[in-house]
Amino acid sequence: MRGAIDRPQLESALRHAQERKELRVHYQPRVDLHNGQIVAAEALLRWQHDGALVQPNDFIPLAEETGLIQRMGTWVLGEVCRQQRDWLDRGVPNVTIGVNVSQRQLRARAADEELPALCRRLLDAVDLDARWIELELTESLLMETPERTIAQLQELNDAGIKLAIDDFGTGYSSLAYLTQLPLSYLKIDRSFVNHVCTEPNSAAVARAIIGLAHSLRLTVIAEGVETAAQLGFLRKVDCDEMQGFYFSRPLPADQFEAMLVAGESIAVSAGPSTETLLLVDDEVSILRSLTRLLRRDGYNILTTTDPREGLEMLSINDVQVIISDQRMPLMAGSEFLHRVREIHPDTVRMMLTGYADLESVKDAINRGAIWRYLTKPWEGDELRRLVREGFREYVLRRGNHGNAISTTPA
Ligand code: C2E
Ligand code: MG
Ligand code: MG
């Protein structure tokens, strides 16, 4: 929020926001990772105040505290229903819209209209089918769920309104809730998505969440996807949908509509899978001579001097065999290959070292990070034979466990 506006002022401004018609709904598209198409969107509240667009984090907490969120939430739901009706009437290619629901909206007091009745009334008011809206509930909201809330969620689900669990992984998850509530979607929190390409632990958490969700028949949505590398990783680990700045920021209704009309999508390359080799060495001359040597065997060869970039390349490309130098200033080869092992366990990894590095080779072997090591200077034919074997090893591994998630062979 700009300037030093104090709390009472903000509160009073917020109280009048609705009648002054200062509230807006922006829409952020959700993309299906299997076909690249927009399949849904999330409605995100904005407050046009004093010439600035105020973001939810700057006013939602206050709205929650003061109870204003209840009225605002009702307005958002009504506005989304109205907008959906308008899009349908004008023949705009329509998608489902997810609406965020706050604690307060589920904890209506006895005198208030409960959420299922409210949804029903707002849908009926514009004669809209329930399948055009979804509700997003946070983990913490579900955790505090008394029996009455579970009944409400059941009622919503029975009415045809799908439910999503939002920001998954950030609250205290009681996995029991996942089995008891009528959920359709699980949204992986941005904090995990952020580091999936570079941090083995984030990658492991994302993989595990996707596996868990799929075994519970939930559709998984990754939030906050900002790079092609993150997108590539998510696709590899079979995430279903994504939402994030990489594809689009939240947009005003007219701009989102233009996107739907234009049929914007993400290219999904199901290109021919060729044998791809990644070479990582901080010395460009070594990359060059390795490339010259191995090119004649018909591999698709990727090179980089920076292991971090290497990690990104692995998310974007289908790489089967990796050769990495050990001594690199930005990240040691053993550390790089260890991370690769965690994030892309099926890859076949080799290390190229000088004799002086035997300690780190031993360490890498013992951690299962490498399959073979080679010494500098190398013997051309031997190196070519090893790389060939590496690709064969990859095929064997895939044959043994297909797309298994948890096996991590060296
Ligand atoms: P959320 O429901 O988890 O919504 C996703 C947030 O992540 C949005 O922030 C969105 O703009 C942001 N985001 C999406 N992609 C990216 C990305 O690639 N990078 C980054 N850095 N951020 C990304 P926003 O719009 O500021 O909303 C914040 C939170 O405010 C929402 O989190 C939601 O909890 C709450 N909120 C928004 N609208 C409403 C509403 O109508 N009702 C209620 N109760 N809460 C709302
Ligand atoms: Mg949300
Ligand atoms: Mg979220």
Side-chain angles (χ1 to χ4, degrees), residues 56-85:
N57 292 342
D58 293 325
F59 66 90
I60 295 235
L62 182 62
E64 301 245 10
E65 243 174 80
T66 53
L68 283 170
I69 193 72
Q70 210 145 320
R71 273 204 300 150
M72 288 174 128
T74 301
W75 180 82
V76 174
L77 262 171
E79 170 59 17
V80 169
C81 290
R82 188 202 59 74
Q83 183 65 71
Q84 287 285 56
R85 180 75 263 160

Side-chain angles (χ1 to χ4, degrees), residues 122-155:
L122 295 172
L123 287 164
D124 287 348
V126 291
D127 193 21
L128 189 70
D129 195 287
R131 74 191 159 107
W132 295 115
I133 61 168
E134 290 165 5
L135 299 179
E136 299 192 0
L137 315 148
T138 59
E139 222 173 14
S140 50
L141 183 154
L142 297 180
M143 290 306 299
E144 289 181 26
T145 301
E147 290 304 304
R148 182 63 206 121
T149 310
I150 297 183
Q152 286 191 57
L153 299 181
Q154 200 62 58
E155 226 177 305

Side-chain angles (χ1 to χ4, degrees), residues 296-315:
R296 66 181 89 157
D297 293 322
Y299 307 123
N300 177 20
I301 299 178
L302 307 171
T303 63
T304 178
T305 54
D306 176 358
R308 293 208 152 252
E309 189 185 37
L311 289 170
E312 302 213 326
M313 291 166 105
L314 286 169
S315 290

